[in-house]
Amino acid sequence: MNSLLTIIVPCFNEEEVLPLFIDAITPVRAKLPCETELLFIDDGSSDRTLELLRSYASKDSSVRYVSFSRNFGKEAAILAGLKETKGDTCVLLDADLQHPPTLIPEMYRELTEGNYDSVAMYRDDRKKEGFFRRTFSSMFFKLINKMSKINLINGATDFRMMKRPMINAILSLPEHNRFSKGIFNWVGFNTKWLPFETAERPAGESKWSFGKLVAYSMDAILGFSEVPLKFFSKLGFFFCIMSFVLGLVFFVKTLIWGDPVAGFPTQFIMLLLLSGIMLCFLGVIGLYISRIYVELKGRPAYLVKETEKDNNSK
Ligand code: UDP
Ligand code: MG
């Protein structure tokens, strides 16, 4: 069997870590029982990342790269990687060696011998993270599992190996706002989960600010859940019933005891409460509409500036 494994590596300003990555991945490639190719996705780096990729690709024909015209985010890089995969199997991993390349042979063995469609890795070492980030991320996993039909393992990462049928299934989803962990789960297929410990980043720094993580979580929830919409419609309905009942109560009260003008504070509070809820709901609708707007425009998830083919012809 002549199978090819594509190793997809998203890179955003990783000049410091790339040489270390190459050193780590080379022996692993030699060990694998199949052909391999390296596919780097340069996510609009502003450092020497692209230069390094050009030189790797010019020396070795099994190294390819796709370079974006600007930073489109890791999700876009993953999509580009899957699209460009030539192999019948692919593995996604970070450039920063936090997803240890030494685990790839074991993943490959599980995938082929266990007859799975996918082998996915989850982090078993949350204690290493800061308190704030750890709490935020476990809250996120609980929330998304409660609010949507997808079910993510706490600590699920993008470190994952997949066979061609699953790759094609993922590529058949046309959405622009992509939350890969959700998509991997949504498409189904047989997945084997393995625990792993993330390594320390040997060089460079994390590209995820807290703000970026919050935006990422919002994308995930809005992309996979209608709970916020349903929640506010239910709340609205509840308040309608409440006001009807209250109206009836006041009507009867007036009939029996007359109408001593009182209760302005209550009205004021109700007014504020209701308008608050309405504004909240409008905001939620706005969030969904803005996503619809982006999807409707149908802009590509990323734009390619250069690949190894352009470089070879120069
Ligand atoms: N990355 C990317 N585009 C981005 C941010 C990150 O392609 O906008 C890549 C980055 O180069 C790395 C991987 O995604 O290979 C994970 O990023 P990072 O290590 O910064 O994230 P962390 O490990 O802190 O979650
Ligand atoms: Mg990292």
Side-chain angles (χ1 to χ4, degrees):
M1 195 175 72
N2 207 2
S3 76
L4 174 67
L5 171 71
T6 303
I7 303 170
I8 305 171
V9 193
C11 309
F12 177 47
N13 293 341
E14 300 287 12
E15 63 173 6
E16 283 166 80
V17 96
L18 268 178
L20 303 174
F21 178 82
I22 294 283
D23 288 347
I25 200 81
T26 310
V28 171
R29 291 178 71 188
K31 244 203 295 195
L32 280 160
C34 55
E35 299 274 309
T36 57
E37 64 166 355
L38 268 178
L39 174 59
F40 291 100
I41 314 294
D42 165 38
D43 187 8
S45 302
S46 52
D47 65 356
R48 287 179 48 250
T49 299
L50 179 56
E51 236 172 89
L52 289 175
L53 295 183
R54 279 187 196 128
S55 93
Y56 299 146
S58 65
K59 280 183 218 135
D60 180 350
S61 63
S62 70
V63 177
R64 297 194 289 137
Y65 67 84
V66 172
S67 176
F68 290 173
S69 59
R70 64 168 167 87
N71 180 245
F72 282 91
K74 189 183 173 190
E75 292 295 337
I78 291 177
L79 177 64
L82 294 176
K83 253 188 207 160
E84 289 297 319
T85 291
K86 283 188 184 149
D88 46 7
T89 315
C90 76
V91 60
L92 278 165
L93 82 164
D94 287 358
D96 59 8
L97 298 175
Q98 289 195 293
H99 299 161
T102 43
L103 296 177
I104 294 177
E106 190 192 331
M107 292 166 81
Y108 192 78
R109 205 175 323 116
E110 283 283 347
L111 189 78
T112 45
E113 285 171 17
N115 214 4
Y116 292 102
D117 299 298
S118 167
V119 173
M121 310 300 278
Y122 68 94
R123 306 181 51 173
D124 200 16
D125 60 347
R126 276 266 129 97
K127 280 169 221 88
K128 271 194 200 160
E129 274 178 320
F131 172 77
F132 199 48
R133 199 158 163 173
R134 190 171 72 229
T135 318
F136 179 79
S137 92
S138 81
M139 239 170 59
F140 164 72
F141 278 109
K142 277 197 193 117
L143 205 67
I144 186 116
N145 286 343
K146 271 236 162 69
M147 287 172 73
S148 67
K149 290 200 185 84
I150 55 171
N151 193 10
L152 299 182
I153 287 188
N154 187 355
T157 62
D158 296 324
F159 188 14
R160 183 186 275 264
M161 193 176 278
M162 282 173 274
K163 284 185 187 160
R164 181 47 74 181
M166 184 160 172
I167 301 175
N168 289 345
I170 292 164
L171 291 177
S172 73
L173 303 192
E175 62 234 63
H176 180 105
N177 272 307
R178 295 183 85 88
F179 170 58
S180 291
K181 291 186 190 77
I183 291 178
F184 295 153
N185 187 272
W186 188 90
V187 295
F189 293 90
N190 247 347
T191 299
K192 167 86 179 174
W193 284 94
L194 297 178
F196 83 110
E197 280 201 19
T198 41
E200 294 281 327
R201 210 179 219 281
E205 54 193 35
S206 173
K207 309 296 178 296
W208 292 85
S209 60
F210 189 69
K212 247 183 166 181
L213 276 178
V214 172
Y216 178 71
S217 318
M218 285 279 280
D219 264 347
I221 288 170
L222 293 174
F224 279 90
S225 170
E226 282 122 49
V227 170
L229 283 175
K230 286 185 185 145
F231 173 76
F232 279 99
S233 357
K234 277 186 195 145
L235 200 69
F237 185 68
F238 173 73
F239 275 91
C240 284
I241 301 281
M242 278 269 290
S243 64
F244 184 72
V245 171
L246 270 179
L248 212 68
V249 167
F250 281 121
F251 183 67
V252 173
K253 216 175 127 194
T254 316
L255 278 187
I256 299 174
W257 290 292
D259 182 23
V261 183
F264 273 116
T266 335
Q267 287 189 10
F268 225 79
I269 290 168
M270 284 304 283
L271 194 75
L272 277 182
L273 184 69
L274 286 179
S275 44
I277 288 169
M278 276 189 286
L279 280 180
C280 233
F281 189 27
L282 275 179
V284 173
I285 294 184
L287 285 176
Y288 281 96
I289 292 185
S290 71
R291 254 107 190 136
I292 297 174
Y293 175 64
V294 170
E295 297 290 343
L296 212 65
K297 275 194 287 189
R299 289 192 181 155
Y302 58 86
L303 292 169
V304 175
K305 178 174 72 178
E306 177 185 324
T307 70
E308 81 287 343
K309 289 182 207 101
D310 304 312
N311 197 33
N312 287 348
S313 59
K314 265 177 212 159

